[in-house]
Structure formats: C-alpha cells, structure tokens
Amino acid sequence: MEALFFNVDTGFLEGVLRGYKSGILSQSHYANLTQCETLEDFRTQLSATDYGNFLANEPLPLSTSTIADKATQVLVNQFNYLRSNAVEPLSKFLDYITYAYMIDNVVLLITGTLHERDTHELLERCHPLGVFDSMPALCVATNVEELYQSVLVETPLAPYFRGCLSPHDLDDLNIEIVRNTVYKAYLEDFYQYCATLGSPTSDVMHSILSFEADRRAINITINSFNTELTKEQRARLFPSIGRLFPAGNNMLARADDIDQVRAACDMVLEYRSFLDSSLSGQSDDSLGVAAQLEDKFFRAEIHLNKLSFLQQFHYGVFYGYVKLKEQEIRNLIWIAECIAQDAKDRMHDFIPIF
C-alpha cells in the first residue's frame, strides 16, 4: 500500500530522477576528461555525456568559471523541473533542500552590506538554488538595520533567523556565528520534518542529516582553535542531532586540540578514520587539518547519498541526487582548473562518485 500511494504522486518524478542519476559521470568519463590537453578538448569530451552541448554557445577561450556556471545551471534546470511537478509532501521536501542555499545567499548579502558593497553585484554570486522571490527586496537595504528587518520579514528563513539574529550581531566577528547558528536551526527543523514523513524517508534522511550535523560540529571545533570563540559559544553552535550528540558534542565543546577531537570521533566507528594518528599534535595548524578532513567528509557524504538509491518509495533520493551532482560539478571544476593551469600531476585528485 505504501508503494501504491507513493507512486500515485511521486512515482513518475522518482523515475525521472533515477534517469538523471544514470547520467552521472562514470570512471570512464573521468578517464577521458583527464586526458584532455585544453579546455576545448574538455568541452568536446563532455559533449559525449549527458551534459551534451551545454557549452556549445560559449565563446573561446573557455574559462573554468563558465564551465562551473553552466554545469550548475544543468542541475538547477533538472531540480526546477522536479520541483514544478511535485505535490505535497515532496514539494515541501524540495523546499527544505533549497533552504541551505538560501542561508548562504542571505549571509553573502549581509556580508556585502556590512562592507558597503553593491548587493546587486552580489546577487550574481548567489547560488541559483537559493534564489527566492523576495531576494531583490534584500538588495534595497542600505544598512544593516534595514537588512535585518528584510531578512526577518521577506525570506522563508525567518523562523531560523528570528531566534538568533539581531542588528547588533551583524559584524565581521559574529557573521560566521550567525551562519552556523542559523544552519543549526535549519538542520534540526529538517530532521524533525523528515520524521513526519515516516520510514523509509526518515531512516535515509536521518542518517544523512546526522552525518551533516556531526561534520559541522567537528569542523566548528577545529576551526575555533586559537580564535576568540569561547567554548560556551562553540557548544551553542552544535546541532542537537547526530551520532555524536550528546556525549561526543560535549567532548568537542571542551576540546583544546586535535587529539581531543579524535577522542570524541572515536565514539562512532565510521568516524575513527577521519582523524588518524598522522594528524595528532597539529592543533597549531587547524586550517591544514580541516583541509585534510574535507576530502574524507566528502567521500563519506557520497557514500551515504549513494546508499539512498538502494531503496525505493522515499524522498531521500532527491536530496541524494543533488549532493552527488554537486560533487560531480566540483570534480569538473577541479579537472578544468588543472588543465587551465597545466597542473597535470594533480588532475586525479578529485573524488569519483561511481
């Protein structure tokens, strides 16, 4: 019965999505791309994939930013097609996916306003999936107080910002605290919403969102070393979900170095490899450690999102596809940059999906 009712409203779109997923680049595609000598060759190789002639009308010489924008637009077009044909509860689920991009876009506009930059120019840098109807209203704001009122009134993110934002918070020192506080509220809300959708959607999404919450807690901890952020402030930024919550989060809140972060991660078997012994004693170089961790986090994220496709009749595949496609775009940008900079020795340092 569950499968029957799911297919009535969502079966067609799930079929479309799985068709999109079959077009994700394979190892053989990447092998061809890494043999390219120029970005023109790169474009020719991509034309033989599901990307088709998406770069056909772009003038030479190609730039990596153009490739990134056009590849992102392919994903956005696919997502918008799914969203325009979705009905509740899938339509609301897809809205939740866009909220993460909205947060980044709003924070970008806030930062631009703080620095008195032209926010209309910043609109061009906003992620297309995070664009919403009232976003131009934010650009009318000429100071922080006006922007604060616009964020609380004009955006779908108002419930997340309302509890953690005031005009006095909006300065360079606190903007990252605001970003992480809002993202914490978003993750917790998305987690609760997925619980209302029942199994298997809740099972799949809780696993994915728990990992995202733990990743943020670990990154916040490492990035806060040797900064003015207090341990109490750090603890308030941790989402109250995830496999590290609550004991692991408490250990992270008190951590003073990488070894203590590793001790917290040891509580979860899958996380033990994230911080191996080679990173011990490197708390003086927290940025270097965070960079090394990023690849491991991306690989774990890819694995979880691929697992979502092993089940049917759930909405998690829509989230999983967006994240897999994002990784594919990162891979394309990496390879294109290596070609443009003639860094052939680093060309294979991307993270394949299949």
Side-chain angles (χ1 to χ4, degrees):
M1 293 295 290
E2 176 187 339
L4 173 64
F5 288 117
F6 181 92
N7 282 336
V8 167
D9 292 329
T10 314
F12 168 71
L13 291 182
E14 185 184 6
V16 171
L17 182 86
R18 290 181 182 272
Y20 289 159
K21 182 244 185 184
S22 67
I24 291 179
L25 300 182
S26 64
Q27 286 280 20
S28 62
H29 291 134
Y30 285 121
N32 292 334
L33 291 173
T34 54
Q35 297 299 314
C36 296
E37 296 292 332
T38 66
L39 290 182
E40 176 61 21
D41 295 339
F42 187 83
R43 173 167 65 177
T44 302
Q45 287 293 339
L46 275 180
S47 67
T49 70
D50 274 25
Y51 280 97
N53 295 320
F54 78 120
L55 293 171
N57 296 324
E58 297 303 317
L60 295 177
L62 278 176
S63 67
T64 53
S65 60
T66 298
I67 295 172
D69 291 342
K70 293 300 180 179
T72 299
Q73 192 58 48
V74 170
L75 170 60
V76 172
N77 292 342
Q78 292 175 343
F79 185 87
N80 286 340
Y81 175 80
L82 297 170
R83 197 178 184 186
S84 63
N85 286 280
V87 297
E88 289 284 357
L90 175 60
S91 57
K92 186 173 182 179
F93 182 87
L94 296 178
D95 287 344
Y96 267 100
I97 294 176
T98 66
Y99 290 166
Y101 304 97
M102 288 184 189
I103 292 172
D104 288 337
N105 287 351
V106 170
V107 170
L108 177 65
L109 293 175
I110 291 173
T111 305
T113 302
L114 284 174
H115 295 161
E116 299 182 349
R117 296 182 58 183
D118 183 357
T119 48
H120 292 280
E121 292 181 9
L122 291 174
L123 276 178
E124 298 179 0
R125 296 175 52 195
C126 289
H127 196 289
L129 285 180
V131 173
F132 46 92
D133 292 340
S134 56
M135 181 174 283
L138 301 183
C139 295
V140 177
T142 57
N143 56 56
V144 171
E145 284 73 16
E146 290 181 10
L147 187 62
Y148 168 74
Q149 294 297 331
S150 298
V151 168
L152 290 186
V153 176
E154 301 291 343
T155 78
L157 305 176
Y160 306 142
F161 277 97
R162 186 172 291 116
C164 68
L165 186 66
S166 73
H168 307 293
D169 289 330
L170 297 180
D171 58 42
D172 286 336
L173 182 63
N174 290 321
I175 193 64
E176 283 304 313
I177 295 178
V178 169
R179 181 202 300 272
N180 285 301
T181 304
V182 171
Y183 210 96
K184 168 192 173 182
Y186 158 68
L187 279 179
E188 292 170 352
D189 186 36
F190 196 5
Y191 189 95
Q192 294 300 321
Y193 174 70
C194 290
T196 67
L197 299 177
S199 181
T201 297
S202 59
D203 298 336
V204 171
M205 287 305 301
H206 282 177
S207 177
I208 293 173
L209 294 176
S210 291
F211 170 76
E212 180 61 29
D214 292 340
R215 172 165 64 176
R216 297 189 74 83
I218 294 169
N219 279 334
I220 288 169
T221 301
I222 294 174
N223 291 330
S224 67
F225 291 155
N226 303 317
T227 68
E228 297 180 16
L229 190 71
T230 67
K231 292 182 178 180
E232 291 75 18
Q233 289 174 315
R234 181 202 300 174
R236 288 196 292 269
L237 300 180
F238 297 161
S240 57
I241 59 174
R243 301 177 68 183
L244 291 175
F245 177 80
N249 282 7
N250 290 336
M251 294 177 67
L252 290 174
R254 298 191 300 269
D256 293 310
D257 55 40
I258 296 300
D259 288 336
Q260 293 177 8
V261 175
R262 183 155 56 88
C265 292
D266 280 347
M267 299 181 64
V268 179
L269 178 62
E270 290 82 357
Y271 297 171
R272 290 179 184 173
S273 63
F274 289 170
L275 286 153
D276 56 32
S277 57
S278 65
L279 298 180
S280 297
Q282 294 189 26
S283 56
D284 292 337
D285 184 20
S286 58
L287 291 177
V289 173
Q292 293 181 57
L293 272 175
E294 192 163 6
D295 274 2
K296 296 182 179 182
F297 283 142
F298 278 141
R299 291 180 188 276
E301 181 185 41
I302 289 171
H303 177 68
L304 286 174
N305 287 309
K306 287 197 299 185
L307 288 181
S308 68
F309 284 89
L310 299 182
Q311 297 188 59
Q312 290 182 297
F313 313 124
H314 69 94
Y315 302 122
V317 290
F318 293 89
Y319 183 94
Y321 176 75
V322 171
K323 294 301 179 181
L324 292 179
K325 199 70 175 174
E326 277 190 338
Q327 182 58 51
E328 179 177 89
I329 293 170
R330 282 192 290 269
N331 291 344
L332 292 178
I333 296 171
W334 178 267
I335 296 172
E337 282 287 0
C338 288
I339 294 172
Q341 299 178 25
D342 198 25
K344 303 295 176 61
D345 55 323
R346 301 198 61 192
M347 193 176 289
H348 292 84
D349 292 347
F350 60 88
I351 305 174
I353 299 172
F354 296 110

